[in-house]
Amino acid sequence: MTDQRKPRAVRGTLSPGSIAESALTLGDQEGPESMTARRIAAYVGCDPMTLYRHFANRIALLDAVADLAVGDVLLPDDRAPWVTRLRETLANTRRTALAHPGIAPHIAARPPLGPHGQQIGRMLLGALQDAGLGDEETVATSQVLIAYLSSSIAMAVATHGQRDDRWTEAVRALRTIGQVSTESMPAVGSIEQFTLGLDLLLNGLQLRTTTGSQAQGGR
Amino acid sequence: MTDQRKPRAVRGTLSPGSIAESALTLGDQEGPESMTARRIAAYVGCDPMTLYRHFANRIALLDAVADLAVGDVLLPDDRAPWVTRLRETLANTRRTALAHPGIAPHIAARPPLGPHGQQIGRMLLGALQDAGLGDEETVATSQVLIAYLSSSIAMAVATHGQRDDRWTEAVRALRTIGQVSTESMPAVGSIEQFTLGLDLLLNGLQLRTTTGSQAQGGR
DNA sequence: ACCTGAACACCGTTCAAGT
DNA sequence: ACCTGAACACCGTTCAAGT
């Protein structure tokens, strides 16, 4: 990641950072379909090719924009209870990602692993370690949490931006199973649905850790 | 390259189902980058525009291919314990999706909600109900499981197909936290990592249900 | 009326020409 | 040596012309 040879200061104030910032602003205003190399170049006022002197390719540029966006995430105090740290970190990341509609789909598809993303990752790992999990469990659990977060963002983007006919249709069809009444249920991708699943994950985690006994793998 | 039985398109034999089947075969052989309207049309031997008389757009076509692919998923017996049903359904779906590399990214991005996808969804909901969960918990939990499954497929595709430098770099950087030794850990996207997280989810679920008391949501 | 192929409005990226 | 704009090899989809 540090092998990016940064040439001398290019004309004026153009740099990977300034390009990513401009692209983020553009995406905030115009949405995901504006995040093409050509439209970003037009917005920052340079030739499309100039972007490729600062980034290896379009994906690398979007990675930078994504990590920049999650830099807005407000991280909880290290001294808060570990459950609180997990809940707030995840909820704030979701909210921040959705506040940047242009790059949110990319964040969902590719967890940002730049400096800001790593900071979030460290917060999650630290909280899980404080919960008393071992190393392997810590990493595995963090992946479960990140997976849930990513999918939640993706679902929120899909249902907000487009139509949710596909989901409502499927949920309706699923009413044939048992007595599940789908009428009064929170919509897929909604904050209510996200919170429900999050509570479920965190409660399960709390039970595991407070039980004192390590549950053995099933099968 | 080794086209066993490429359906020589004869007029009249073209249908949404046959198109989706051909596209699935093409994707199996040539990968995700082959799933464009033009290449699919060339493979089935028709004009690109002919596809649009059977599908509203390219996404709808891929949705059909995705649902066709998950039709291969072997579903467990309804009489198996609910934990077994969940574990096998999720593991088999992941394996089947990855066995179809061309459409796997689409499956990860958009859970198939056609007839086959709904069958899988019904299996999950039924198992969760048998676990003793209420309606809201059942739906929320199913979404958590689907989220984990989707992200796991996406990560496996990303790390297998491309390079995982991004992840290894990030995991290495995270070694600064605590005493987490990342050297001997299963790779992101691997089956071992998937199983670890899956056991974690299922154990949490088992603990919740066998405790007899319903854990209350935090905050 | 139905079908389709040319055309439109884009892509990401290469590369050779210009400075 | 550095920069860049034209060009390449594609996209998904529209639409008018042809049958």
Side-chain angles (χ1 to χ4, degrees):
Chain A
M1 190 156 285
T2 56
D3 61 349
Q4 177 117 343
R5 51 185 64 116
K6 183 185 304 180
R8 290 267 179 105
V10 244
R11 50 164 39 225
T13 64
L14 223 52
S15 70
S18 72
I19 291 172
E21 250 175 271
S22 296
L24 181 60
T25 304
L26 173 62
D28 290 348
Q29 296 169 353
E30 311 255 342
E33 68 274 16
S34 69
M35 303 310 270
T36 71
R38 286 169 135 99
R39 289 187 63 176
I40 291 170
Y43 185 73
V44 310
C46 73
D47 189 272
M49 289 319 98
T50 305
L51 300 179
Y52 289 85
R53 293 197 313 110
H54 300 275
F55 298 97
N57 48 41
R58 178 176 159 270
I59 303 298
L61 167 50
L62 293 191
D63 285 344
V65 177
D67 197 69
L68 190 65
V70 297
D72 293 350
V73 174
L74 192 77
L75 291 178
D77 194 312
D78 269 330
R79 299 196 176 280
W82 63 266
V83 190
T84 307
R85 269 179 281 162
L86 290 179
R87 185 192 311 281
E88 294 195 357
T89 300
L90 294 167
N92 288 350
T93 302
R94 176 186 178 276
R95 183 160 40 77
T96 299
L98 295 181
H100 295 288
I103 201 64
H106 188 79
I107 293 175
R110 289 194 122 218
L113 297 178
H116 295 128
Q118 286 181 24
Q119 209 173 331
I120 296 173
R122 260 191 295 276
M123 172 64 69
L124 296 178
L125 290 177
L128 292 173
Q129 293 222 114
D130 288 352
L133 296 188
D135 285 0
E136 270 206 349
E137 277 183 321
T138 294
V139 173
T141 307
S142 75
Q143 195 178 329
V144 172
L145 295 178
I146 290 170
Y148 180 63
L149 176 62
S150 297
S151 277
S152 297
I153 293 171
M155 283 174 179
V157 167
T159 55
H160 268 78
Q162 329 260 19
R163 49 200 55 87
D164 55 350
D165 296 349
R166 233 170 45 104
W167 275 105
T168 53
E169 191 74 23
V171 172
R172 177 153 296 145
L174 291 175
R175 225 193 299 178
T176 59
I177 189 74
Q179 299 304 69
V180 177
S181 66
T182 59
E183 280 308 332
S184 63
M185 295 221 164
V188 170
S190 67
I191 176 67
E192 291 84 7
Q193 181 72 64
F194 171 75
T195 304
L196 259 173
L198 184 54
D199 283 341
L200 200 94
L201 282 170
L202 297 181
N203 283 338
L205 215 46
Q206 269 179 306
L207 273 174
R208 271 175 70 79
T209 54
T210 55
T211 306
S213 79
Q214 188 164 333
Q216 67 271 30
R219 154 154 334 244
Chain B
M1 288 304 170
T2 61
D3 51 317
Q4 313 258 27
R5 51 188 192 93
K6 179 194 294 187
R8 283 279 124 218
V10 196
R11 300 163 185 275
T13 67
L14 225 52
S15 71
S18 72
I19 291 172
E21 248 175 274
S22 297
L24 181 59
T25 303
L26 173 63
D28 289 349
Q29 297 168 351
E30 311 255 341
E33 67 275 17
S34 69
M35 303 310 273
T36 71
R38 285 168 135 99
R39 291 187 62 175
I40 291 170
Y43 185 73
V44 310
C46 73
D47 189 271
M49 289 318 98
T50 305
L51 300 179
Y52 289 85
R53 294 198 313 111
H54 296 93
F55 299 98
N57 50 40
R58 177 176 160 271
I59 302 299
L61 166 51
L62 293 190
D63 285 346
V65 177
D67 197 69
L68 190 65
V70 297
D72 292 351
V73 175
L74 191 78
L75 291 177
D77 194 311
D78 270 329
R79 299 196 175 278
W82 62 265
V83 191
T84 306
R85 270 179 280 162
L86 289 179
R87 186 192 312 281
E88 294 197 355
T89 300
L90 294 167
N92 288 349
T93 302
R94 175 185 178 276
R95 182 160 40 77
T96 299
L98 295 180
H100 294 288
I103 200 64
H106 187 78
I107 293 175
R110 291 195 119 216
L113 297 179
H116 294 126
Q118 286 180 25
Q119 208 174 332
I120 296 172
R122 259 192 295 275
M123 174 64 69
L124 295 178
L125 290 177
L128 292 172
Q129 293 222 113
D130 289 351
L133 297 187
D135 286 0
E136 270 206 348
E137 277 184 321
T138 294
V139 173
T141 306
S142 75
Q143 195 177 329
V144 172
L145 295 177
I146 291 170
Y148 180 63
L149 176 63
S150 298
S151 278
S152 296
I153 293 171
M155 284 173 179
V157 167
T159 54
H160 267 78
Q162 329 258 19
R163 51 199 53 88
D164 54 352
D165 296 349
R166 234 170 45 105
W167 274 105
T168 54
E169 190 77 22
V171 172
R172 177 153 294 145
L174 291 176
R175 226 195 296 180
T176 60
I177 188 75
Q179 299 303 70
V180 177
S181 66
T182 58
E183 281 307 333
S184 63
M185 294 223 165
V188 170
S190 66
I191 177 66
E192 290 85 6
Q193 182 72 64
F194 171 74
T195 304
L196 258 173
L198 183 54
D199 281 341
L200 200 95
L201 282 170
L202 297 181
N203 283 338
L205 214 46
Q206 268 180 304
L207 273 172
R208 272 176 70 80
T209 53
T210 55
T211 307
S213 79
Q214 187 164 334
Q216 68 272 29
R219 174 183 293 279

